[in-house]
Amino acid sequence: MGCAGFTCSKHSLCALNILYVMVSLLMIGIAAWGKWFGLVSSFQVVGGVIGVGVFLFFVALAGLIGAMKHHQVMLFFYMIILFLVFVVQFSVSSACLAINREQQDHLLEVGWNNSLSTQRDVEKNLNCCGFQQVDPNGTCDAACFPNHSCLPCADKIQEHVGEVLHFVGGIGFFFSFTEILGVWLTYCYRNQKDPRANPSAFL
């Protein structure tokens, strides 16, 4: 049973970290694809997503190597980092699900005013101009602007932002629970003996 428990913990931890590696590569690929095809022009957004993907990739790689080699130090730091990621992600997911309409409007307006590239992306993709009102004397990348038929972007953004926040919050909750599962598996795995090693040695 000891052998089965050790092997099961090892394989489960490896499978979990392979999943994290795949998710991290998917994040990096989607961000690069969006930048390459001009869907997102903001370097901060693309850089942030790629940065999170690279961070997750190295954390998962450390967990995978630690699980395969039953490396105590690597598993310990992996467990600590994964727990911190769980705390942050659980908090952000809770905020996404709990935010109300007034808070959404405030955050959207702050984000709109802080990034001209984001404004251009939204105007182009949603075919709208301005945030709360359309300025006929301003500039806008939307196709409707030459015809003076554009609507403010705030209305169109609000049609989707609630669904997006609930979707992001739900996905975040799902992965946060896989992270706490990873912490528990790592803790159990660190305290198990490798049946292939000397039975009297505690690894």
Side-chain angles (χ1 to χ4, degrees):
M1 182 175 293
C3 179
F6 179 88
T7 304
C8 180
S9 298
K10 179 179 181 179
H11 290 170
S12 299
L13 204 53
C14 287
L16 187 63
N17 283 287
I18 290 173
L19 173 65
Y20 288 155
V21 168
M22 293 173 64
V23 170
S24 67
L25 293 177
L26 183 64
M27 290 176 64
I28 296 171
I30 289 176
W33 177 79
K35 182 65 176 177
W36 179 266
F37 285 95
L39 299 178
V40 180
S41 61
S42 174
F43 179 77
Q44 291 87 349
V45 173
V46 174
V49 174
I50 291 178
V52 171
V54 171
F55 173 76
L56 179 60
F57 176 80
F58 282 110
V59 171
L61 191 63
L64 187 61
I65 295 173
M68 294 177 65
K69 295 183 175 296
H70 200 220
H71 194 287
Q72 290 290 296
V73 176
M74 192 172 289
L75 287 172
F76 174 78
F77 283 106
Y78 168 77
M79 182 172 61
I80 297 299
I81 294 172
L82 198 61
F83 179 75
L84 294 176
V85 171
F86 161 77
V87 172
V88 173
Q89 189 165 327
F90 187 84
S91 302
V92 172
S93 300
S94 301
C96 287
L97 294 175
I99 190 171
N100 58 37
R101 178 64 179 265
E102 183 179 348
Q103 293 169 330
Q104 290 178 18
D105 291 339
H106 175 69
L107 291 175
L108 287 172
E109 189 168 5
V110 170
W112 179 272
N113 293 329
N114 285 340
S115 176
L116 292 176
S117 59
T118 301
Q119 292 180 23
R120 290 194 297 269
D121 290 338
V122 173
E123 289 173 342
K124 182 179 179 181
N125 293 325
L126 297 183
N127 198 27
C128 58
C129 289
F131 187 72
Q132 294 288 358
Q133 58 185 6
V134 181
D135 182 7
N137 297 320
T139 58
C140 180
D141 293 335
C144 62
F145 187 70
N147 301 325
H148 302 287
S149 59
C150 293
L151 295 175
C153 292
D155 298 332
K156 291 196 172 185
I157 294 174
Q158 280 294 350
E159 293 177 4
H160 308 286
V161 69
E163 297 177 1
V164 170
L165 285 174
H166 282 86
F167 176 77
V168 171
I171 294 294
F173 264 125
F174 170 75
F175 278 102
S176 64
F177 284 113
T178 66
E179 288 157 4
I180 203 64
L181 174 64
V183 172
W184 177 75
L185 281 172
T186 306
Y187 175 79
C188 295
Y189 183 59
R190 286 187 73 246
N191 290 285
Q192 290 174 333
K193 295 180 181 180
D194 188 346
R196 296 170 302 177
N198 186 348
S200 62
F202 185 76
L203 300 179

